[in-house]
Amino acid sequence: MPVIHPDKLVALQRNAEDVRNICILAHVDHGKTSLTDALIATNGIISPKLAGKIRYLDSRPDEQLRGITMESSAISLCFSMARRSAPDTEPVNKDYLINLIDSPGHVDFSSEVSTASRLCDGAVVLVDAVEGVCSQTVTVLRQTWIEHLKPILVINKIDRLITELRMSPREAHVHLGKLLEQVNAVLGSFFQGDQMEQDLQWREKVEQRVAAAAAKEQEKSRQHEADMSDLASEATASTNGDFEEKDDDDLYFSPENNNVIFSSAVDGWAFTVRQFASLYEKKLGMRRSALEKVLWGDFYLDPKTKRVLSSKHLKGRALKPMFVQLVLDNIWAVYEATTGGDKGKGCVNDQYNASIVDQFADLISCASDPAMLEKITRSLSLTIPPHVLRSRDPRSLLTTVFAAWLPLSTALLVSVVEKLPNPPTAQAARLPALIDASPGASHVDPIVRAAMTTFKTSANDPVVAFVSKMVSVPASELPQNKRKAGNILTAEEARDMARKKRSEIAKAQIAMEGKPSNDINGIAEALSSASIGNGEDTSKQAIELEEDPEQLIGFARLYSGTLKVGDSIYVLPPKFSPASPHAAPEPQKVTVTALYLLMGRGLEPLTSVPAGVVFGIGGLEGHILKSGTLCTQLEGSVNLAGMNMGSQPIVRVALEPVNPGDLNKMIKGMQMLEQSDPCAQYEVLESGEHVILTAGELHLERCLKDLRERFARCDIQAGEPIVPYRETIVSAAEMAAPKTKDLPRGTVVGTTTSKQVTVRLRVLPLPLAMTGFLEQNVGAVRRLYAEKKAEEESRKDEFSQSEEMVEVENSEQDDIPMSGLLSLADFKKALKAAFEEDKEQQHIWNDALDNITAFGPRRTGPNLLIDTTSDSICRRFLAETGEDNISKDISIETPSSSLTPEAFSDKIAYAFQLATGQGPLCHEPMQGVAVFLENVTITSPSEEDTLGRDNQGRLTGEIIKTVRDSIRQGFLDWSPRLLLAMYSCEIQASAEVLGRVYGVITRRHGRIIDETLKEGTPFFTITSVLPVASSFGFSDEIRKRTSGAAAPQLRFQGFEMLDEDPFWVPSTEEELEDLGEYGDKENVAKGHMDKVRARKGLMITGRKMVRDAEKQKTLKR
């Protein structure tokens, strides 16, 4: 294969019509990187014989060792294709630029899939022909739907149907048809969900128009009322014309539409229906376009009349479908002629067999059929080199035949060029929806919007680029630090380099010998003995480590304009809104120091980048944390940061350096890791622990390896994983009597230490529907809070002190997108419907909606503070207008010598945030708790005391402590429960290892949800749930128990209640008789609670250090 020079790729960037930006998406081990190798081989970067083995884009050593992709990598390829400008003209070779991004398939690295898909215009989705649609397949299909990418489907590993499942061509045809239906069913579910949402929105608009028309009619004449039914029908009819249901004809994958490719990446072949239609159009005397439509499906070829028949015209004849007769039979024939097909066990694919020795023995025993092979090559006009025909390796013969007949790169890249859009077409279709969903979309400058959607590339047009992630690259790998091969040093450069090298070696020798640096004799002796190329190896390694720091490069896509080195550009943070462009933190202006062409393991320098290109950008280190938008103007710019990361970090681990002196190096390394990893997060706990948050066990392992070897470069030890829990309350039958008999359950009357303020509140469990609704609408609550805060600040700036006091960190979910959130009216309507679902306690929740004061913890959690005092001392969070809040603010700030309950409303809200942030069980956040504030009483101080206003500072702390403790006491008046973080686990396994898989899941307190047999295969798909606390080491144990025959995919699915009271002890006679005084039954909830309390240094009640205090003697005595 000819090697493509980077200059040619740079030249192709200028013609946007011939550029394709694609990403390859699939479940883990479905063949993405092997497929990418075959495409890279077309540009001469690797040998075609090594395609599928070298895994070129897996540049990390741990990726090569594990055989899975962990980071998305990009590479630019050139593809030449003969095309006709008109049907009667000669074909002319045309070059296309393919910007390809290979993404991971493991669920721990779903964030890498999100960063890759945002930069592309099309997607190549791979599905294993045997395993079918898996959990991550659904995830990547949903990602293409969300990002509005146009996908093409590749059904890979069809060779497994021949070698493993021993299917006949007809059985394989049925199997492939069912697999295609499964993929289309997933797409159909996305389409149906969007249609239902749009239909609901349309109906709401109809109701609004009917109501507006009715109100208008009533204003015109109140005396004679119009017929409202006719009015409604007219309004509905007028709206019906506006609503158009979308057509889903182009949505689904169909081979006759040439958006389905059948392939075997490991054997290097692929084809589409169009290729075989071209082969048979002359032989069958049919047009290619007509043959494409009947080559897939239930169509049959009459051997006598050469006519195509449908299934209803068979009249009992046993004919093969055309896809079987004309396509699959030929594929099966090549396997049989070269390797023995399904008769030679283990001959075809050495990736699916156990040991190298068995593979070699099988290969020798497999005998090809020379006569059949000669017939096939002659009919297809193929030329096989003689040395391949003489080879005893049947696999070499197989790959040679397919490379000449159905090369994988041709089928895939032709489909990419013909079916996937170029950047101008894709941006016109995708960007309007992305811009409308961005924060402050109504304030985006029309010039910026037009430049992005109409793909303007001139130097005068605004530059808009999106950086999806930051990539860490060693400084020595940057092009400016590399000397190109063949360049010769000048005499001056050689002398200067020798002088620097001698001084470096001298310093290293002095340091190693322990001599003081001011020892002139030692320096002279070291300099005299030093020369280029000698010196201690350890000193060289130390120097190399010091001089090879990590540099961060932005992984970006340019949407409009032209970006050059040296340009100044604004970096917009993820929370930026064009409605308030100068709001803190104000965007900074940076200078572009370098531009790069991404070439997998290497980088090529660029001077400028046109729109529509995926590229690397330098100069952003310290200005972008994970992702951001670049724009040449600040006012009216657009913020594109709002990606769905797929998996949120759930596993936290505390780190510390082995050598305490390396603490600063570890902190800097963790900060750089946080920037370079889209999903990892770094935080410092109140206890001073340095904690890293990761998506899973494998992600944690990769992050620790990067910290030790690349970023911190010091020995780091990790503690036990910190798993999050939640605390809640339920109304259970075995609850003890209320602590205060005269008051309802959960009611607490708290008095401050000075006896000056008394607070009465009641704690109740929230209905399940309400808790679920609040969990799903965290973003809406945050937006409503931001609007309320902005309204208050604009109205009165002097109240900032109280706001500062109650400020709580809300960095956990800062990346929640603000698009598609409920408005205040819709939020209240849905909240009211959730309250009404609790029929038993309807009287309690009747007036709760209008009296909601705060959500917690972190102001967005699924807990409510409801003000039911007679004077409504707290502000109403869901008030339609600011009148209520204005009156409260004025009453608070009215100068007076006496204290009023309104003066402590913000302190009570702050105490609520503290209490819900750290529950009484093990200081974990609460969930599903409602706190009703019933009364606040202030006792007038005595004459000896100072005035009430002077006491407010002392009372602030007392009230916060009293309210917090009262909420915790009311919480414990109910039956407390722990909520465990749960993984959804999917495992594919054969019947032989099914029992072992069940044993491992049961032993780790998991629960089997479903078990289904994949039709046409011997594999079962097991769906289960597993506590995150029990998941560490789960994947390794599954692989060991099943000898590598099963591998789980773990995805965080939320919190699930452990229905067991952690304070339960035997009390009745039956329980004491069965379990004894100490309760021999294991209390799992108490075990979790005590473990967390021990980690946090809290007191553990009920644990006896010594049960029988008898004297112990050693054996020696």
Coordinates of all heavy atoms in Angstrom, one line a residue, residues 770-771 773-789 810 813 816-818 821-824 827-828 831 852-864 877-878 913:
M770 N -43.1 11.0 44.5 CA -42.5 12.3 44.7 C -40.9 12.2 44.7 O -40.2 13.0 44.1 CB -43.0 12.9 46.0 CG -42.3 14.1 46.4 SD -42.4 15.5 45.2 CE -44.2 15.7 45.2
T771 N -40.4 11.2 45.4 CA -39.0 11.0 45.4 C -38.4 10.8 44.1 O -37.4 11.4 43.7 CB -38.6 9.9 46.4 OG1 -39.2 10.1 47.7 CG2 -37.1 9.8 46.6
F773 N -39.7 11.6 41.2 CA -39.8 12.8 40.4 C -38.7 13.8 40.7 O -38.1 14.4 39.7 CB -41.2 13.4 40.6 CG -41.3 14.8 39.9 CD1 -41.6 14.8 38.6 CD2 -41.2 15.9 40.6 CE1 -41.8 16.1 37.9 CE2 -41.3 17.2 40.0 CZ -41.6 17.2 38.7
L774 N -38.4 14.0 41.9 CA -37.3 14.9 42.3 C -35.9 14.4 41.8 O -35.1 15.3 41.4 CB -37.3 15.2 43.8 CG -38.5 15.9 44.4 CD1 -38.4 16.0 45.9 CD2 -38.7 17.3 43.8
E775 N -35.7 13.1 41.9 CA -34.4 12.6 41.4 C -34.3 12.8 39.9 O -33.1 13.1 39.4 CB -34.3 11.1 41.7 CG -34.1 10.8 43.2 CD -34.1 9.3 43.4 OE1 -34.6 8.6 42.6 OE2 -33.5 8.9 44.5
Q776 N -35.3 12.7 39.1 CA -35.3 12.9 37.7 C -35.2 14.3 37.2 O -34.8 14.6 36.1 CB -36.5 12.2 37.0 CG -36.5 10.7 37.2 CD -37.8 10.1 36.7 OE1 -38.7 10.8 36.2 NE2 -38.0 8.8 36.9
N777 N -35.5 15.3 38.1 CA -35.6 16.7 37.7 C -34.7 17.5 38.5 O -35.0 18.7 38.9 CB -37.1 17.2 37.8 CG -38.0 16.5 36.8 OD1 -38.1 17.0 35.7 ND2 -38.6 15.5 37.2
V778 N -33.5 17.0 38.8 CA -32.5 17.8 39.5 C -32.1 19.1 38.7 O -32.0 20.1 39.3 CB -31.3 16.9 39.8 CG1 -30.2 17.8 40.4 CG2 -31.6 15.8 40.7
G779 N -32.0 18.9 37.4 CA -31.6 20.1 36.6 C -32.7 21.2 36.6 O -32.3 22.4 36.7
A780 N -33.9 20.8 36.6 CA -35.0 21.8 36.7 C -35.0 22.5 38.0 O -35.2 23.8 38.1 CB -36.4 21.1 36.5
V781 N -34.8 21.8 39.1 CA -34.7 22.5 40.4 C -33.5 23.4 40.5 O -33.6 24.6 41.0 CB -34.6 21.4 41.6 CG1 -34.4 22.1 42.9 CG2 -35.8 20.5 41.6
R782 N -32.4 23.0 39.9 CA -31.2 23.9 39.9 C -31.5 25.2 39.1 O -31.1 26.3 39.5 CB -30.0 23.1 39.4 CG -28.7 24.0 39.3 CD -27.5 23.3 38.9 NE -27.1 22.4 40.1 CZ -27.1 21.1 40.0 NH1 -27.5 20.5 38.9 NH2 -26.7 20.4 41.0
R783 N -32.1 25.0 38.0 CA -32.4 26.2 37.1 C -33.4 27.1 37.8 O -33.2 28.3 37.8 CB -33.0 25.7 35.8 CG -33.1 26.9 34.8 CD -33.9 26.5 33.6 NE -35.3 26.1 33.9 CZ -36.1 25.7 33.0 NH1 -35.7 25.6 31.7 NH2 -37.4 25.4 33.3
L784 N -34.4 26.6 38.5 CA -35.3 27.4 39.2 C -34.6 28.2 40.4 O -34.9 29.3 40.6 CB -36.5 26.6 39.8 CG -37.4 25.9 38.7 CD1 -38.4 25.0 39.4 CD2 -38.1 27.0 37.9
Y785 N -33.7 27.5 41.0 CA -33.0 28.1 42.1 C -32.1 29.3 41.5 O -32.0 30.3 42.1 CB -32.1 27.1 42.9 CG -31.2 27.8 43.9 CD1 -31.7 28.2 45.1 CD2 -29.9 27.9 43.6 CE1 -30.9 28.9 46.0 CE2 -29.0 28.5 44.5 CZ -29.5 29.0 45.7 OH -28.7 29.6 46.6
A786 N -31.5 29.0 40.4 CA -30.6 30.0 39.8 C -31.4 31.2 39.4 O -31.0 32.4 39.6 CB -29.9 29.4 38.6
E787 N -32.6 31.0 38.9 CA -33.5 32.1 38.5 C -33.9 32.9 39.7 O -34.0 34.2 39.7 CB -34.7 31.6 37.7 CG -34.4 31.0 36.4 CD -35.6 30.4 35.7 OE1 -36.6 30.3 36.4 OE2 -35.5 30.0 34.5
K788 N -34.3 32.2 40.8 CA -34.7 32.9 42.0 C -33.5 33.7 42.6 O -33.7 34.9 43.0 CB -35.1 31.9 43.1 CG -36.4 31.2 42.7 CD -37.6 32.1 42.9 CE -38.9 31.3 42.6 NZ -40.1 32.2 42.8
K789 N -32.4 33.2 42.6 CA -31.2 33.9 43.1 C -30.9 35.1 42.3 O -30.6 36.2 42.8 CB -30.0 32.9 43.2 CG -28.8 33.5 43.9 CD -27.7 32.5 44.0 CE -26.5 33.1 44.7 NZ -25.3 32.1 44.8
N810 N -22.2 22.9 45.2 CA -23.0 22.0 44.3 C -22.3 21.5 43.1 O -22.7 21.5 42.0 CB -24.3 22.8 43.9 CG -23.9 24.1 43.1 OD1 -22.8 24.4 43.0 ND2 -25.0 24.7 42.6
Q813 N -23.1 17.8 40.5 CA -23.8 17.6 39.2 C -23.8 18.9 38.4 O -24.8 19.3 37.8 CB -25.3 17.2 39.6 CG -25.3 15.9 40.3 CD -26.7 15.6 40.9 OE1 -27.4 16.5 41.2 NE2 -27.1 14.4 41.0
I816 N -25.0 18.9 34.5 CA -26.3 18.5 34.1 C -26.7 19.5 33.0 O -26.7 20.7 33.3 CB -27.3 18.5 35.3 CG1 -27.0 17.4 36.2 CG2 -28.7 18.4 34.8 CD1 -27.9 17.3 37.4
P817 N -27.1 19.1 31.8 CA -27.5 20.0 30.8 C -28.8 20.7 31.2 O -29.7 20.2 31.8 CB -27.6 19.2 29.6 CG -27.9 17.8 30.1 CD -27.2 17.7 31.4
M818 N -28.8 22.0 30.8 CA -30.0 22.8 31.1 C -31.1 22.8 30.0 O -32.0 23.5 30.0 CB -29.6 24.3 31.3 CG -28.7 24.4 32.6 SD -29.7 24.0 34.1 CE -28.4 24.1 35.3
L821 N -35.5 21.2 30.1 CA -36.0 21.2 31.5 C -37.4 21.8 31.6 O -37.8 22.6 30.8 CB -35.0 22.0 32.4 CG -33.5 21.5 32.4 CD1 -32.7 22.3 33.3 CD2 -33.5 20.0 32.8
L822 N -38.0 21.4 32.7 CA -39.4 21.8 32.9 C -39.4 23.3 33.3 O -38.5 23.7 34.1 CB -40.1 21.0 34.0 CG -40.3 19.5 33.7 CD1 -40.8 18.8 34.9 CD2 -41.2 19.3 32.5
S823 N -40.4 24.0 32.9 CA -40.6 25.4 33.3 C -41.2 25.3 34.7 O -41.6 24.3 35.2 CB -41.5 26.1 32.4 OG -42.8 25.5 32.3
L824 N -41.4 26.5 35.4 CA -41.9 26.6 36.7 C -43.4 26.1 36.7 O -43.8 25.3 37.6 CB -41.9 28.0 37.2 CG -42.5 28.2 38.6 CD1 -41.8 27.4 39.6 CD2 -42.4 29.7 39.0
F827 N -43.3 22.3 36.2 CA -42.8 21.7 37.3 C -43.8 21.6 38.4 O -43.9 20.5 39.1 CB -41.5 22.4 37.8 CG -40.8 21.8 39.0 CD1 -39.9 20.7 38.7 CD2 -41.0 22.3 40.2 CE1 -39.3 20.1 39.8 CE2 -40.3 21.7 41.3 CZ -39.5 20.6 41.1
K828 N -44.5 22.6 38.7 CA -45.5 22.6 39.7 C -46.7 21.7 39.4 O -47.2 20.9 40.3 CB -46.1 24.0 40.0 CG -45.1 25.0 40.6 CD -45.7 26.4 40.8 CE -46.8 26.3 41.8 NZ -47.3 27.7 42.1
L831 N -45.4 18.2 39.9 CA -45.2 17.9 41.4 C -46.5 17.7 42.1 O -46.6 16.8 43.0 CB -44.5 19.2 42.0 CG -43.7 19.0 43.3 CD1 -42.6 18.0 43.2 CD2 -43.2 20.3 43.8
I852 N -43.6 24.9 49.9 CA -42.2 24.4 49.8 C -41.2 25.6 49.9 O -41.3 26.5 49.2 CB -42.0 23.6 48.5 CG1 -42.9 22.4 48.5 CG2 -40.6 23.3 48.3 CD1 -42.8 21.6 47.2
T853 N -40.3 25.4 50.8 CA -39.3 26.4 51.1 C -37.9 26.1 50.5 O -37.3 27.0 49.9 CB -39.1 26.6 52.6 OG1 -40.4 27.1 53.1 CG2 -38.0 27.6 52.9
A854 N -37.5 24.8 50.5 CA -36.2 24.5 50.0 C -36.2 23.0 49.6 O -37.0 22.2 50.1 CB -35.1 24.8 51.0
F855 N -35.3 22.7 48.8 CA -34.9 21.3 48.4 C -33.5 21.0 49.0 O -32.7 21.9 49.1 CB -34.9 21.1 46.9 CG -36.2 21.3 46.3 CD1 -36.6 22.6 45.9 CD2 -37.1 20.3 46.0 CE1 -37.8 22.8 45.3 CE2 -38.3 20.5 45.4 CZ -38.7 21.8 45.0
G856 N -33.3 19.8 49.4 CA -32.0 19.4 49.9 C -31.7 18.0 49.8 O -32.6 17.2 49.5
P857 N -30.4 17.6 49.9 CA -29.3 18.5 50.2 C -28.7 19.2 48.9 O -29.2 18.9 47.8 CB -28.2 17.5 50.8 CG -28.5 16.2 50.1 CD -30.0 16.2 49.9
R858 N -27.8 20.1 49.1 CA -27.2 20.9 48.0 C -28.3 21.6 47.2 O -28.1 21.8 46.0 CB -26.4 20.0 47.1 CG -25.2 19.3 47.9 CD -24.4 18.4 46.9 NE -23.4 17.6 47.6 CZ -22.2 18.1 47.9 NH1 -21.8 19.3 47.4 NH2 -21.3 17.4 48.5
R859 N -29.4 21.9 47.9 CA -30.5 22.7 47.3 C -31.2 22.0 46.1 O -32.1 22.6 45.5 CB -30.0 24.1 46.8 CG -29.5 25.0 47.9 CD -29.5 26.4 47.4 NE -29.0 27.3 48.4 CZ -27.8 27.8 48.6 NH1 -26.9 27.4 47.7 NH2 -27.5 28.6 49.5
T860 N -30.8 20.8 45.7 CA -31.4 20.1 44.6 C -31.8 18.7 44.9 O -32.3 18.0 44.0 CB -30.4 20.1 43.4 OG1 -29.2 19.4 43.8 CG2 -30.1 21.5 42.9
G861 N -31.6 18.2 46.1 CA -31.9 16.8 46.4 C -33.3 16.5 46.6 O -34.2 17.4 46.6
P862 N -33.6 15.2 46.7 CA -35.0 14.7 46.8 C -35.5 14.8 48.3 O -36.1 13.8 48.8 CB -34.9 13.3 46.3 CG -33.5 12.9 46.7 CD -32.7 14.1 46.6
N863 N -35.4 15.9 49.0 CA -35.9 16.1 50.3 C -36.6 17.5 50.3 O -36.1 18.4 49.6 CB -34.8 16.1 51.4 CG -34.1 14.7 51.4 OD1 -34.7 13.7 51.8 ND2 -32.9 14.7 50.9
L864 N -37.6 17.7 51.1 CA -38.4 19.0 51.1 C -38.4 19.6 52.4 O -38.6 18.9 53.4 CB -39.8 18.7 50.6 CG -40.0 18.2 49.1 CD1 -41.5 18.0 48.9 CD2 -39.4 19.2 48.1
F877 N -40.4 28.8 47.7 CA -39.5 28.6 46.6 C -40.3 28.6 45.2 O -39.7 29.0 44.2 CB -38.8 27.2 46.8 CG -37.8 26.9 45.7 CD1 -36.5 27.4 45.8 CD2 -38.1 26.1 44.7 CE1 -35.6 27.1 44.9 CE2 -37.2 25.8 43.7 CZ -35.9 26.3 43.8
L878 N -41.5 28.1 45.2 CA -42.2 27.9 44.0 C -43.3 29.0 43.8 O -44.3 28.8 43.1 CB -43.0 26.6 43.9 CG -42.0 25.3 44.0 CD1 -42.8 24.1 44.0 CD2 -41.0 25.3 42.8
Q913 N -30.3 22.0 55.1 CA -29.3 21.5 54.2 C -28.2 20.6 54.9 O -27.8 19.6 54.4 CB -28.6 22.7 53.5 CG -29.5 23.6 52.7 CD -30.1 22.9 51.5 OE1 -29.6 21.9 51.0 NE2 -31.2 23.5 51.0

